[in-house]
Amino acid sequence: MDETKERGFLLVTATLDTSYLTAARATVGRLVFRGQRSIHFCKERDERRRQILRAFRDLPVEIVIYDATAYRNVKRARDACLRGLVSDAAKAAAERLVLDLDESCLGSDRSLLGRELGAVGMAGRLRYDHLDAHADHLLAIPDAVAWSWAKGGQWRAMVRRMVGEVRNV
């Protein structure tokens, strides 16, 4: 998952079946330029963004956007999104959550995730990790979709068919 605070808080999840992880990582890895540690969508040129999105649209990925734009406080918005994410992950019997590392949220996230995983009976069964984008190239997918969705216009149109659902939290 990744987030954007542009025009309100959105948390974007990209879900892949474990049988597709290796192939998807290879696809994303091929898009990372030599000398580049990871794809960071906001720093790419428009033509490169289009190239990346075309490749991502071919992946068997399910995108869910948690929309917390109704919240004025970023922490409350993030917490609401994470609660929704944990609930959905439990229903789907997910095995692992990978969150884009934001050091400023780490302690709060761990506390909330521990509490919420316990509440849905997934403590010890659903693993979560906070990673830098270069540690798992698949984090580029929710990063690209979050940027595109928040940007709107042609960029939102390019990712719209990837988005399975937008949930207001």
Side-chain angles (χ1 to χ4, degrees), residues 74-105:
V74 172
K75 176 163 178 4
R76 288 187 181 142
R78 182 180 177 89
D79 289 355
C81 290
L82 288 176
R83 281 192 298 276
L85 172 59
V86 168
S87 175
D88 291 343
K91 290 174 192 164
E95 296 175 20
R96 183 177 182 215
L97 299 175
V98 179
L99 296 83
D100 188 45
L101 177 63
D102 179 342
E103 294 280 350
S104 69
C105 299

Side-chain angles (χ1 to χ4, degrees), residues 6-162:
E6 180 102 6
R7 299 185 181 111
F9 192 92
L10 300 173
L11 186 139
V12 177
T13 63
T15 304
L16 282 158
D17 186 276
T18 55
S19 63
Y20 296 114
L21 289 175
T22 301
R25 281 195 177 98
T27 297
V28 178
R30 283 191 295 274
L31 292 166
V32 177
F33 287 141
R34 184 179 303 171
Q36 187 181 30
R37 292 180 77 193
S38 61
I39 297 169
H40 195 62
F41 208 70
C42 73
K43 296 180 180 177
E44 302 289 350
R45 294 183 336 262
D46 283 352
E47 187 48 46
R48 172 100 165 113
R49 287 183 182 122
R50 287 183 191 90
Q51 173 195 17
I52 292 166
L53 290 177
R54 281 192 297 271
F56 289 176
R57 287 189 309 209
D58 291 337
L59 295 173
V61 62
E62 178 184 328
I63 303 290
V64 174
I65 298 174
Y66 296 85
D67 183 334
T69 55
Y71 288 82
R72 294 179 189 218
N73 178 286
V74 172
K75 176 163 178 4
R76 288 187 181 142
R78 182 180 177 89
D79 289 355
C81 290
L82 288 176
R83 281 192 298 276
L85 172 59
V86 168
S87 175
D88 291 343
K91 290 174 192 164
E95 296 175 20
R96 183 177 182 215
L97 299 175
V98 179
L99 296 83
D100 188 45
L101 177 63
D102 179 342
E103 294 280 350
S104 69
C105 299
L106 197 56
S108 175
D109 282 0
R110 285 183 177 152
S111 176
L112 183 138
L113 290 169
R115 210 171 37 251
E116 293 300 314
L117 288 170
V120 296
M122 293 294 283
R125 293 191 357 220
L126 175 61
R127 190 173 111 211
Y128 69 89
D129 296 294
H130 288 83
L131 299 176
D132 283 315
H134 67 271
D136 190 336
H137 288 306
L138 292 178
L139 287 167
I141 298 169
D143 174 59
V145 174
W147 184 93
S148 299
W149 196 264
K151 200 70 164 167
Q154 68 170 329
W155 298 107
R156 184 178 289 188
M158 288 185 76
V159 297
R160 186 174 306 276
R161 75 177 179 117
M162 293 175 66

